[in-house]
């Protein structure tokens, strides 16, 4: 998926302004010191923080454009985010924590668990699939 984003977020006396363009099939690394706006950028792309201005287009779909009144809510975006602090469901196994995302999008339980198991295997964590956090 290609990404073309101009993100502007006001944080009190600080304004975070970033332009990002990534071609389909490419990887982008976001680096910088504490407080530079890395997490803010990612939260905006995921739809968890609203931009004050700018425009975000992912795979040809406009996700945010405040000037036009366009906003796709987080659960309707093809974007996932893993936070620095590991907020897992303590009552669920690794398998069911990973399957939570597909399940929350309406995937049947068996299919979600199959998909989750494939991701767990790709990460080399099959032995931990039944372990709770």
């Amino acid at each position: 998926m290609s990404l073309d984003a101009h993100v502007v977020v006001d944080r009190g006396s600080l304004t975070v302004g970033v332009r990002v363009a990534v071609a389909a099939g490419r990887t982008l690394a976001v680096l910088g010191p504490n407080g530079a706006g890395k997490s803010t950028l990612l939260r905006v792309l995921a739809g968890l923080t609203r931009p004050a201005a700018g425009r975000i287009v992912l795979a040809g779909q406009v996700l945010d454009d405040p000037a036009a009144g366009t906003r796709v809510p987080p659960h309707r975006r093809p974007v996932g985010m893993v936070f620095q602090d590991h907020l897992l469901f303590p009552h669920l196994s690794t398998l069911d924590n990973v399957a939570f995302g597909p399940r929350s999008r309406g995937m049947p339980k068996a299919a979600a668990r199959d998909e989750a198991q494939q991701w767990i295997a790709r990460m080399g964590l099959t032995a931990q699939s039944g372990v709770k956090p």
Side-chain angles (χ1 to χ4, degrees):
M1 284 190 239
S2 63
L3 170 67
D4 184 20
H6 174 217
V7 174
V8 178
V9 178
D10 291 322
R11 293 283 190 212
S13 62
L14 173 69
T15 298
V16 175
V18 180
R19 289 185 187 271
V20 177
V22 184
R26 302 297 299 190
T27 300
L28 171 72
V30 182
L31 305 172
N34 288 345
K38 301 177 301 292
S39 294
T40 299
L41 169 64
L42 297 175
R43 290 182 60 81
V44 171
L45 295 176
L48 302 173
T49 297
R50 290 177 185 249
R55 189 167 195 253
I56 299 169
V57 181
L58 180 63
Q61 179 186 8
V62 177
L63 300 181
D64 276 303
D65 187 342
T70 302
R71 172 162 175 73
V72 174
H75 65 281
R76 299 263 187 248
R77 295 175 184 226
V79 176
M81 184 168 172
V82 177
F83 294 92
Q84 293 176 30
D85 43 350
H86 54 281
L87 299 175
L88 300 174
F89 297 109
H91 63 288
L92 297 180
S93 67
T94 300
L95 176 64
D96 288 324
N97 265 286
V98 175
F100 179 81
R103 290 278 296 137
S104 70
R105 291 189 309 274
M107 185 180 283
K109 185 175 184 177
R113 292 182 103 226
D114 286 344
E115 183 175 309
Q117 191 61 58
Q118 291 173 25
W119 280 107
I120 289 169
R122 288 175 89 179
M123 298 293 116
L125 298 171
T126 301
Q128 285 78 32
S129 65
V131 177
K132 294 182 180 178

